Amino acid sequence: MKWDEFFVTGEPMIYGAMVSIVIVSIAIVAGLTYFKKWGYLWREWLTTVDHKKIGIMYIISALIMLFRGGVDGLLMRAQLAVPENGLLDSQHYNEIFTTHGVIMILFMAMPFIIGLMNVVVPLQIGARDVAFPRLNAVSFWLFFAGAMLFNISFVIGGSPDAGWTAYFPLSSIEFSPTVGNNYYSIALQISGLGTLMTGVNFIVTILKMRAPGMTLMRMPMFTWSILVTSVIIVFAFPVLTIALLLMMLDRQFGSQFFTMANGGMDMLWANLFWVWGHPEVYIVILPAFGIFSEVISTFSRKNLYGYKSMVFSMVIISLLSFVVWAHHFYTMGHGAMVNGVFSVTTMAIAIPTGIKIFNWLFTMHKGRIEFTTPMLYALGFIPIFTIGGVTGVMLAMASADYQYHNTMFLVAHFHYVLIPGTVFGVLAGMYYWFPKLFGFRLNDKQGKLAFWIIVISFNVTFLPLFALGLNGMTRRMYTYSAETGFGLLNLIASIGAVGLAIGFAVLVYNIYWSFRYAPRETNGDPWNARTLEWSTPSPIPHYNFARMPEIKERDAFWFAKKSGKSLYTEEYSDIHMPNNSGQPFVLGVIFMIFGFFMVFNWWVGAVIGAIGIFVMMIIRSFERDHGHYIPVKEVVATEQRLRGEQV
Amino acid sequence: MKIDHAVPLEYSTEENKNRIFGFWVFLGAEIVMFSTLFAVYFTLWNRTGNGPTAKEIFEIGPVLIETFLLLTSSFTIGLAINSMRQGLMKATMGFFAVTLLLGLGFLGVEIIEFVTYVNEGATLQTNAFMSSLFTLLGLHGAHVTLGLVWGGGLMLQMKREGFTPDTANKSFIFSLYWHFLDVVWIFIFSFVYLKGLM
Ligand code: HEM
Ligand SMILES: [Cu+2]
């Protein structure tokens, strides 16, 4: 690697990015120094093991990544707006759709979901933290290290360019000789390890840390969705781990797994990738289903219709998600029999999904519906997701798929599933749980305005793509000629994308505005909600529950409010809490440095990094840290202050 | 930290129970990881290009030694945990040491085996079969190596602190890990070596 190849050069956009990265970094450092916030940042955030703060850090990172991925989306739409556009060349377009896909799915959707589950799950089950708080911090910093590593590829060395699926031989060293796909395999590996640890952590948390009396069938639906999701994570992510490992070996150590000669098999990559990739889609969608269940039931003032069938459908979906992967490459030549089987299993997923949709509708039936912002997202989700689902069944028909495979029709389909399914879900969740974390609501008027701009622009952006796809416009095409007649619909779609950008800008302004001006809550239950997290004061003290609640039915808090009985009958006592630690952050930094050297094949640095990682593990093993106790006096004082009453 | 004396020390606190359960879940993930590699191996094991095939390079001798060493070590780590439960420090340390020495022996034979392959011109780069073989064995070997460092660290901690809920818990989890490596090896022995030699 020569120095002039090290920094990507020759494009005004990249110089712009470099300059803005430097300016933003200087501004952050200067600001922290000027306001003397370094200590605060270190004590309260970088070393925290509190699940709520870790959740907030995930959500902030995810929002930033939404903007990075969104800018990629806008650039692509700008390029495609008119025929024969010269804004981006083909290589640059390849890099942009690749980073867009990876960032949106792995560094936006997943962390957003993981952020919400970090915030909410312990609260919903009446726990004071997750089972392994320190490991939780490690998970976050591994995710963050991976995300940062992936993002710097843009200016240092070059981004991956073989699509987010990174199919071989396209992503092999012969066809993609830059370090871009090294970034792909290593950054995803690092953050994937973090995700796997999160899966393990939440399975244990949910199965072992529930409040007394909370049986599995009394758990809130969101927690159920996270349990199912965590199980999918634990079974799906190791496949990605191996796939990325083999990719790295092929690209950087000359092994022959996916090569075209010496017995290598490029289809093996496609299979491994989608054995993980399809369940991944459910990892980001099932939690959104859980969020919608909470939101719809709360704002319809009714208990969730068909609770058991909801749980059952989720379990069925999770099982089916592992046996449909080959529908992503019907056209790559496995026989009719194989295609037929995968076609049927794929369509079968529509059944449990349909059950869930009908249950939501029945929950709303005869309810006293309140149209708050989170409820609007839930309501908007249903019709849009249904379009996505129906077009999904169209794609699932193997024989028909030969027509629309790899066209804009597919691009429209998955945005119609992912945006309402995931993005609307996490936004609904953010609006819904925001007051629990910060003690005030986001402005509802602005929230609704953003919602309407986003839904309308969304349809303007992606509806035309169905037509374009059926007319034969293929996916990942960086330009097209005027004769194709694709121009007008593409222009409409690009205008829609600008609308989406405006919608998200309003959303961010809403957060800023509400921090400054929104009235503060006092009672901790602003929505008149049903589940345990709302029985605590807002903002929530770091120990969550001063006393353990006693659960006797589903939606226990709701029934407690109705019957006027308290959930909390225990005496106050000392509370045991874990200590903060700087190790997870340091580990993240070392992982990032290690990853960087690996990307560039700088083995000396990589070996030193690897040794650093082992040293951190050994330090951890020899350490004895049993946390600390919050004395009962302090607990009572805090409760009195937060609840504004005698306790 | 509440210590429950009715159960073995390694289970005696809430945190300890969670750790053991969590480790089982983690082993679930490890199983998926190795299963994926086995699947890769089975897909590629006949795809030898112009390089050597399994039959040409496998030798039963070293493999039997490796199997013997690793199976014995799985037995001795069981004895170590048993002694730990009875509070016998000397015996525990002894069995731990034997386990790690057997593991070291295993690793030694495996390294010799790798060197032999490479000298015969069968490297990671030779063909798809060799790539998947080296990766599968290498990942298992890396696990064993990690286990040696981990187990050594635990011996030091036990020596310093005696049997506490912490050290007992860690040692028990280590024994689960070590047994798991043994199970993976049994699969490697049967489905890689025996199948390859046939
Ligand atoms: C915010 C507005 C968005 C816009 C304007 C947008 C636009 C686009 C465009 C133009 C493409 C490439 C089409 C092509 O040339 O093949 C694309 C691909 C893709 N998008 Fe989006 N998108 C948006 C949001 C999202 C979100 C939220 C997700 C996921 C949660 C997502 C996931 C993907 C994926 C996975 C691909 C495929 C990348 C590949 O081909 O490798 N997008 N998007
Ligand atoms: Cu799929």
Side-chain angles (χ1 to χ4, degrees), chain A residues 132 196-197 200 203-204 207-209 234-235 238-239 241-242 245-246 249 253-257 262-265 268 272 614 621-622 624 626 629, chain B residues 1 18-19 21-22 25-26 29 32-33 36-37 40 43-44 47 49-50 124-128 131-132 135 146 153 156-157 160-161 166-167 170:
Chain A
F132 309 113
L196 182 61
M197 296 303 141
V200 173
I203 290 179
V204 180
L207 291 180
K208 295 286 183 191
M209 311 255 302
V234 168
F235 283 98
V239 182
T241 304
I242 294 298
L245 174 75
L246 304 189
L249 290 176
F253 295 89
S255 65
Q256 309 272 351
F257 290 102
N262 280 320
M265 194 177 175
L268 182 64
L272 290 177
F614 279 106
S621 176
F622 277 77
R624 293 290 175 268
H626 293 294
Y629 278 94
Chain B
M1 204 175 51
N18 285 348
R19 284 209 187 118
F21 179 60
V25 177
F26 175 73
V32 179
M33 212 165 81
T36 309
L37 261 189
V40 169
T43 314
L44 299 177
R47 302 177 64 104
N50 43 21
L124 180 76
Q125 291 85 5
T126 308
N127 56 29
S131 298
S132 59
T135 308
L146 183 80
L156 272 178
Q157 292 173 27
R160 275 205 208 155
E161 300 166 27
D166 271 317
T167 52
K170 282 164 185 255

Side-chain angles (χ1 to χ4, degrees), chain B residues 179-192:
Chain B
H179 289 311
F180 170 75
L181 294 186
D182 203 25
V183 173
V184 174
W185 180 259
I186 291 172
F187 277 88
I188 293 180
F189 178 72
S190 331
F191 296 110
V192 173

